[in-house]
Amino acid sequence: MAEPFYLYTRWHSGNYYVQFRLEDGSLSNHKSTGTPNYNEARKLAMQWYSSGQIPERINSK
């Protein structure tokens, strides 16, 4: 079974971003995980998904 989110990096940042699949099949806005480590980003995204508490923004200036 596929994961309920996509992890990717953006060209201007080394950090991983996550997009969650919504119930209607579309994708959420991208959220920065704040880490360049894939395993840490995946763990954080899974925690957000399982708790249902996806933050609006993290690590903002």
Side-chain angles (χ1 to χ4, degrees):
M1 183 171 159
E3 290 184 314
F5 54 83
Y6 295 103
L7 281 175
Y8 59 92
T9 58
R10 299 188 70 180
W11 64 272
H12 64 280
S13 170
N15 291 339
Y16 275 91
Y17 286 76
V18 62
Q19 279 188 302
F20 294 94
R21 290 186 199 141
L22 302 176
E23 291 178 8
D24 64 1
S26 64
L27 295 173
S28 69
N29 291 334
H30 60 262
K31 310 277 187 228
S32 174
T33 61
T35 181
N37 183 297
Y38 176 81
N39 290 327
E40 287 179 23
R42 185 176 177 279
K43 182 179 177 182
L44 185 59
M46 190 59 80
Q47 287 174 351
W48 289 345
Y49 181 77
S50 64
S51 70
Q53 297 178 354
I54 301 168
E56 288 297 317
R57 286 185 83 177
I58 63 167
N59 301 335
S60 62
K61 293 181 180 178

